[in-house]
Amino acid sequence: MSSQPHVLVIGGGSTGCGIARDLAMRGLDVTLVEQGNLTHGTTGRMHGLLHSGGRYAVADQASAKECMIENRILRDIASHCVEETGGLFVKRPEDSEEYFQKKLEGCKECDIPVEVLSGEEARKEEPYLAKDVEKAIRVPDGAVDPFRLCVANAASAEEHGARIETHAPVVDVLKEGDEVVGVEVEHKSGPGKRVHREPGTREEIRADYVVNATGAWAGQIGEMAGLEQEIEVRPGKGVMTIMNTRQVDTVINRCKPKGDADIVVPHETTCILGTTDVEVDDPEDYPEEQWEVDLMIDTLKELVPIIEEARTIRSFWGVRPLYEPPGTGTSDSTDITRDFFLLDHSERDGVENFTSIVGGKFTTYRMMGEDISDHVCEQLGVDAECRTDEVPLPGSDDFSVLRDYMDEFGIRSPIGRRSAQRLGSRTDEVLDVDGPNPVVCECEAVTRAEVQDGIDGSGSDLNAVRLRTRASMGNCQGAFCCHRMASELYDEYDEETAYDAWDELYQERWKGERHAMWGRQLSQAALKYSLHGTTMNRDKDAATTDTVISDFTAFDTGVGASPSDGTAGTAATDGGRRGGD
Amino acid sequence: MSDAQQPSDFDATTAVDEFEPVDVFPSSEDMDLRPGADNCYKCTSCDTSCPVAEVNEDFPGPKFQGPEQWRLKRHEDVDIDDSIMSCSNCMRCDDACPSSVPLSQMHNTARGEYVEEHLDTFSMEYIRNRMLSNYRTMASIGSKVPRLANFVMGLGITSTLGEKIMGIPSERDVPEFATETFRQWWKKRGGSTVSNPDKQVAYFHGCYSNYNTVEVGKAMVRVFEEFGYEVLVPKQQCSGTPMFANGMLKDARREAEVNVRELGEAIDNGAEVIASCTSCSMALRQEYPELFDIDGVEELSEHTWEALEFLRVHEDIGQAINESEVDPQAFAYHAPCHARNQGLDRQAVELFRDLDGVTIEDVGDSCSGISGTYGWKSEKYETSMKIGAEMFDHMEHAEGDVGMTECPTCAMQMNHGTGYEIRHPLELLEEALV
Amino acid sequence: MAIREDVIVIGGGLAGSMAALETADGDASVRLITHKKSTLRHASGLIDVLGYLDEAEPVADPFAALSELPDDHPYSIAGEAAIRDGLARFDAAVGDTYHGAHTDSNALLPTFGGAVKPTARYPDAAAAGLASDSRDMLVVGFEELTEYNAGMLADHLDAADVPFDVDGVELNFPGEYANDSRVTRFAKRLDINEDVDHDGHTMGARQALADAVNPHLGDAERVGFPAFLGDDNAADVRADLERELGVAVFEIPMGPPSFPGMRLADQLKDALDDAGVHISAGNPVIDYEADGDEIEAVIVDSKGREVPYHAEEFILATGGLVGKGIDSDRDGTVEEPIFDCHIPHSDDRYDWFDEEAFGNQPFAHFGVRIDEGMRPLTADGEPEFANLRAAGGIVGGTDPVAEKSQSGISLTTAAAAGQRARERTAKREVSQ
């Protein structure tokens, strides 16, 4: 145990992981606890946009400037998590010219490099843009994989001695008088990596300082800490509709004041259509509605017409943890600021060693982390500089995707390329394996080596493996790889664990896929249902469901088979024979 | 008009110039086939129908080559896996796919992109492929001096050099040039002997029927005239089939422009286009509209027929066959892959079963293995023979000792593997009806 | 001349092929029009009649369970005799390559998902794997294949309390393989008994495989492999392995690519050939011509050109959502694209599915409703056409996946439709 102050971070989203990394790099002793998998909250349910700031350039220039600065930094330190797609703000004939100019000026004022393209020039780059798009502003938007980014931050924190615990929800905030002294968590299994069926334990974790980075759950943690003044987070849900392929390779924004369904973001092998903004009561339980999915398609087809007939593979919802200082009283949640707030509870509530961080956006996570780390260090009397903007994350050290994958690893170049795009500088260490390295998820080109690497980091949680590797996120939505992924868990984990994990992944895939049930995805789902139901009979699996087989001998024992226990093959045991044999 | 009408313009150096590597291909931005991946539901039916994947360890199969590889592509990614060159373009994957994924279109486009980006235009592989693709040009040279050409091509030293320098397998016999091309015969004959503006067909003879297997062209003319058709033989170039398979899309387009124009004119005058080679009809009907946006390409596709197919639909050929007879003969019929894709794989067998004197057996639905120029490459020779092994086996077990097929290269392969003489269905029709 | 037959069957899957065989059993001329390869190739090759009435336990005797089915179930409409006729015709078409006809009882087979499923007919290749057979079992898996892990599968069978000891072992398939070798590569290697290097010697693949398995046999009296034991020469492959290993050998049915499914498809094709059925493959039927309520012809899209095919009777066997016989769209439409037969469904697509992955899925019920003559019915319960019948996955009204009845429904409706079509054409000929 170190003599360094121990900081406990609650929340494994971008904010929490960013804080953990920063503090750990400054030499503090850090523990991070997260109730589910990393990115369980809002971070895992966003549209993958790395803002240039263009979207805020008119209405919220402070945010815009921050975004641009962080955009540059992340492209540097998180290169394997970021795709430099560029972005366009496109103007349709009915969109306001005045606003277009305002947007242009606003970007310039915020130091966002811009270029104006004619409709034709824009279509040269993105042939599927609507023919009547008149012109566009090019901005340095990017696409980011939030899972990969958080995993990398957490890995970096661990490299610097931090302890990361997932599936460890906080059940109580421990206090002595007015001082927060730690938390109590209930590990779903372990502590350690999650393993299905392994019993969990309660653990009291003592700390010198506790940071509440739980986003939409900030209020709940505040309650546990006995704060008199609630932390009023106003959750706002938004839909993300995932297209099967990339219709565009650039982020396409509608050049209009903020509204629903105004962005298409290329994300890995797909495009994400976003989004809506509806306030909800409970961040865990809210309606996922048809009109939201239809709105995405019907509106965004105005920008990219091919979207109307293109295949979607699933839709999911995320909840924005919006916060505004008490008394601001904004009625329409879409108007609430996206700025972040650091709530030091010593000042605000008289509760010591406890700070919450609320609001904010993904793109500025590192800056938020820096701010709060600075604050925590100040409170603890630690003098250490932030270096998270200089040091590349694990996986983002220099790497190239242009290699001879067949030669080096015996895999085909597109598969190698995709693997390297995900693994970055860890490619060699992961792909260099002995023995056969078949592809486990064909849709997303994930080899066994990468799945095993994912299992190393995730325990038996196949959803966590999925987040790391993208296995089961392709067009078949796990139809052909859920069982393959489960097979990879055996031998390290036993059969019961592997099947539990399989069932959990299968259901999780269905949760999002059912929002795409029409046309080709319905046909895909029907094939999946036939494969897992008719062929595999998992729906009536005697080992995992309520179905039982009480008497094997009531069934056909074979023709001419000689069962060794003497109960005859075909004569006495069948339940009824034809023709009176 | 056609090359046959430019004999005096022929110049060896011109021919060589035609093989000059072209610097800049049009960018294939408009050929983004990622949306085609939307249809795929990963059933792997294409893979299990692929004759190359079955025998070739290094070939991942159409599912990967097509929808999977395309779906993984980001705009700037240029590396297509080089196994795309092992795809023989037999198009059986198209035929198998329940979801109508545009597999061969994806493969042809990826192949074109690969050749553009990765194949060194000065490499022997490229030059050889270009030569094989531009068979028509080579044949037009050889057919000027057919006997000499046949003599030279038949020499051992030629095939040895061919193998060593160009990578053309010495095991294969180069098809012999006819002493008189079909077009020369047609011209000498004075064209059509039937005059009927309401019953016109424009014959797309293809390279082989013109330069090599002229008897097929003659049979076509005689059979159609027997049914009262006025046969036209417009100016035409290669259908482009060997060019698609080798990623030489620019060459293919060059030929297509002439074909669409000349055949289009005949169609405007009321004729239907007839092809005797099933790869030619396949190209005109499917690959043209898929790969080229030339004016009139859709019309050409709609008005193109395979020879037997046309007669079945427009004439009572079943009746005519029923009433005829020929000397007893037994055939082993192989349906070319490209015929299968047009839904024509059963027509010869179903038709000739009713012809008195004929025994005809289908030798199964395997691919012949040659796939046009594929089997003419040394590095692919073994694969092509492995694929064809099943067909050779069935042929030898069949009652027939004469092979039958519509595709000239399948015919070469059938002959190469069994030594059987191979005839075209039109030849048997001619025997029965004329 | 226009193409004219007595009966036209649209769709070349299990139902279409069997309907064609049924109608060809007589003097009628039959043409099967099929677009692409059949979905049989995805399926396990097993013939399920009725596996479950509910979630409690598998049905031991499907025939005894028929009376408990609702009146609008395809089996209730077609009748028990049609089920038996369908099975009989199937049995005749496949001969002794399939088993299960010796008893009315279902058989229980291990699946590659590790669960045990009830089925009525199973290929010879799978016969030694029956779960009611109490011989000790060894399951073999391969590191080169990802479809299942043998140890995991064996443990899972154990967890279902099967009446035999079962062990699993993962091996390397003898020889050298590319990382993405498909099941087809291994099947081909065994089929032609290609030479491979194994343990420093060169030998046939079958011998090498047996040698690799032998040391792990233990007390097992039967060995289960992935379903890749050859294609054209499957029987020889198994015979060789059994001889080398000295125990029974069986295949575990798998999903696509499914060799048992492909073999069955090939067998049915041969049966169609032998029966003199005309086959037009490669082009889709897209439309029809009718005179009142009698269909006169269907229109085939021949690479951009429309060609009519005439007949007296028509059987629609184009499949369901998987076979592409049923289309659906975001706006809530569910339709049968050729004849626009009525398919009962909610206009709200959010009514089409259940929240639970294996819940009661309304989309699984999509399909036409039929009368006793297998004719699709309009929303008012009248036949859409007098001479159009339906067979197979296009027929709805139950969840064939949950109750394990898909292939049985195909055989039954095919038999009933085929018989009716045959009778009607015979009548027409007589009355001419």
Side-chain angles (χ1 to χ4, degrees), chain B residues 39 41-45 47-49 53-57 60 63-64 68 94-100 282 285-286 301-305 309 311-316 340-346 350 353 365 390, chain C residues 1-3 31 35-39 41-42 176-182 184-185 188-189 194 231-232 256-259 262 266 269 273 276-283 302-305 307 309 321-324:
Chain B
N39 282 8
Y41 64 1
K42 317 309 295 270
C43 69
T44 324
S45 291
D47 278 353
T48 52
S49 309
E54 203 178 316
V55 303
N56 186 343
E57 201 42 45
K63 185 175 67 154
F64 176 77
E68 277 175 8
D94 277 352
D95 190 47
C97 175
S99 309
S100 301
M282 190 72 215
R285 289 166 99 166
Q286 183 171 320
S301 169
E302 279 164 35
H303 289 274
T304 298
W305 302 77
E309 181 194 16
L311 292 172
R312 272 171 77 226
V313 174
H314 291 87
E315 301 295 331
D316 199 349
R340 197 175 300 282
N341 281 41
Q342 297 173 66
L344 305 175
D345 56 327
R346 309 273 306 175
E350 283 180 9
R353 262 185 189 155
D365 64 357
E390 201 180 315
Chain C
M1 283 318 13
I3 299 158
R31 181 172 292 274
H35 188 192
K36 301 288 190 170
K37 292 253 187 270
S38 125
T39 54
R41 304 168 74 88
H42 313 161
E176 289 290 308
Y177 296 94
N179 271 324
D180 54 1
S181 284
R182 300 240 170 278
T184 36
R185 278 299 293 136
K188 183 82 180 179
R189 215 151 234 204
E194 207 173 279
D231 189 0
D232 293 327
S258 165
F259 274 93
M262 293 192 285
D266 286 342
K269 172 108 185 299
D273 244 346
V277 172
H278 302 140
I279 303 177
S280 287
N283 291 314
S302 188
K303 290 280 174 291
R305 212 176 21 245
V307 180
Y309 283 60
L321 289 168
V322 180
K324 310 294 182 181

Side-chain angles (χ1 to χ4, degrees), chain C residues 59-340:
Chain C
V59 165
D61 181 346
F63 292 96
L66 291 178
S67 53
E68 299 193 46
L69 294 172
D71 290 337
D72 57 356
H73 191 287
Y75 283 157
S76 305
I77 299 173
E80 182 175 333
I83 305 175
R84 292 193 182 277
D85 284 347
L87 283 168
R89 193 160 292 283
F90 176 82
D91 293 336
V94 296
D96 58 9
T97 60
Y98 266 75
H99 299 291
H102 63 284
T103 171
D104 269 3
S105 301
N106 275 330
L108 291 171
L109 249 68
T111 72
F112 83 110
V116 170
K117 79 169 268 196
T119 191
R121 297 287 189 274
Y122 47 94
D124 192 44
L130 292 189
S132 302
D133 176 340
S134 48
R135 287 179 291 178
D136 287 349
M137 182 190 286
L138 173 70
V139 175
V140 179
F142 296 91
E143 284 188 21
E144 289 78 8
L145 296 181
T146 51
E147 267 75 358
Y148 67 81
N149 178 297
M152 184 169 141
L153 204 161
D155 284 352
H156 203 65
L157 288 177
D158 212 37
D161 289 326
V162 291
F164 50 86
D165 281 338
V166 54
D167 258 324
V169 66
E170 286 278 302
L171 304 173
N172 286 112
F173 198 98
E176 289 290 308
Y177 296 94
N179 271 324
D180 54 1
S181 284
R182 300 240 170 278
V183 177
T184 36
R185 278 299 293 136
F186 301 110
K188 183 82 180 179
R189 215 151 234 204
L190 289 171
D191 226 22
I192 61 179
N193 208 11
E194 207 173 279
D195 276 342
V196 293
D197 282 323
H198 179 65
D199 252 1
H201 305 282
T202 308
M203 61 181 86
R206 300 175 197 175
Q207 173 82 58
L209 182 57
D211 282 358
V213 173
N214 236 318
H216 304 274
L217 270 181
D219 292 326
E221 292 176 70
R222 48 186 176 154
V223 183
F225 288 87
F228 64 5
L229 298 179
D231 189 0
D232 293 327
N233 302 321
D236 286 341
V237 173
R238 254 179 308 117
D240 280 357
L241 287 173
E242 286 183 337
R243 194 187 60 241
E244 293 296 329
L245 291 169
V247 296
V249 162
F250 66 94
E251 282 186 340
I252 300 168
M254 304 196 324
S258 165
F259 274 93
M262 293 192 285
R263 293 179 205 135
L264 178 56
D266 286 342
Q267 275 182 289
L268 292 180
K269 172 108 185 299
D270 287 342
L272 288 168
D273 244 346
D274 288 342
V277 172
H278 302 140
I279 303 177
S280 287
N283 291 314
V285 173
I286 52 166
D287 207 349
Y288 67 97
E289 282 164 9
D291 182 14
D293 70 345
E294 291 271 337
I295 299 174
E296 297 192 317
V298 288
I299 313 293
V300 172
D301 174 5
S302 188
K303 290 280 174 291
R305 212 176 21 245
E306 300 192 350
V307 180
Y309 283 60
H310 296 259
E312 303 290 324
E313 288 284 321
F314 296 83
I315 300 178
L316 181 65
T318 45
L321 289 168
V322 180
K324 310 294 182 181
I326 298 178
D327 290 338
S328 64
D329 211 343
R330 184 162 62 100
D331 60 5
T333 25
V334 176
E335 49 187 19
E336 181 278 302
I338 302 175
F339 302 98
D340 201 17

Side-chain angles (χ1 to χ4, degrees), chain B residues 240-259:
Chain B
T241 300
M243 296 154 182
F244 304 136
N246 284 287
M248 312 271 169
L249 297 181
K250 205 173 186 208
D251 287 350
R253 195 197 169 93
R254 180 193 72 214
E255 310 284 288
E257 276 164 3
V258 175
N259 292 333

Side-chain angles (χ1 to χ4, degrees), chain A residues 146-182:
Chain A
F147 317 117
R148 207 173 296 153
L149 187 60
C150 285
V151 166
N153 272 281
S156 171
E158 280 180 314
E159 271 173 20
H160 288 91
R163 176 184 172 203
I164 310 282
E165 289 287 349
T166 57
H167 297 282
V170 167
V171 294
D172 199 10
V173 174
L174 307 170
K175 280 168 75 179
E176 279 166 14
D178 281 332
E179 289 194 15
V180 167
V181 295

Side-chain angles (χ1 to χ4, degrees), chain B residues 94-225:
Chain B
D94 277 352
D95 190 47
C97 175
S99 309
S100 301
V101 176
L103 287 158
S104 60
Q105 187 185 16
M106 291 175 128
H107 300 155
N108 275 328
T109 310
R111 189 169 23 244
E113 219 175 286
Y114 178 84
V115 168
E116 179 184 333
E117 300 289 336
H118 293 278
L119 210 47
D120 178 6
T121 50
F122 293 101
S123 67
M124 199 40 79
E125 185 186 351
Y126 181 84
I127 294 175
R128 176 208 59 196
N129 290 355
R130 197 101 193 268
M131 264 179 61
L132 290 174
S133 304
N134 285 278
Y135 177 74
R136 180 183 66 81
T137 310
M138 306 217 312
S140 70
I141 304 170
S143 70
K144 307 298 174 217
V145 284
R147 287 181 200 81
L148 178 62
N150 290 341
F151 176 70
V152 170
M153 297 312 291
L155 289 175
I157 184 76
T158 313
S159 50
T160 309
L161 286 177
E163 172 122 45
K164 284 207 184 328
I165 300 176
M166 307 238 67
I168 292 178
S170 51
E171 295 89 334
R172 292 203 184 272
D173 298 320
V174 176
E176 293 206 343
F177 293 112
T179 46
E180 180 187 51
T181 68
F182 172 75
R183 297 188 77 92
Q184 284 168 344
W185 171 83
W186 180 250
K187 190 169 168 195
K188 230 193 237 170
R189 185 194 200 239
S192 176
T193 59
V194 170
S195 180
N196 188 345
D198 295 326
K199 261 183 110 170
Q200 284 186 338
V201 290
Y203 183 34
F204 188 84
H205 45 72
C207 307
Y208 287 117
S209 298
N210 189 38
Y211 295 112
N212 306 91
T213 50
V214 181
E215 57 275 16
V216 173
K218 293 178 183 172
M220 182 274 173
V221 169
R222 292 178 187 137
V223 168
F224 273 77
E225 286 185 339

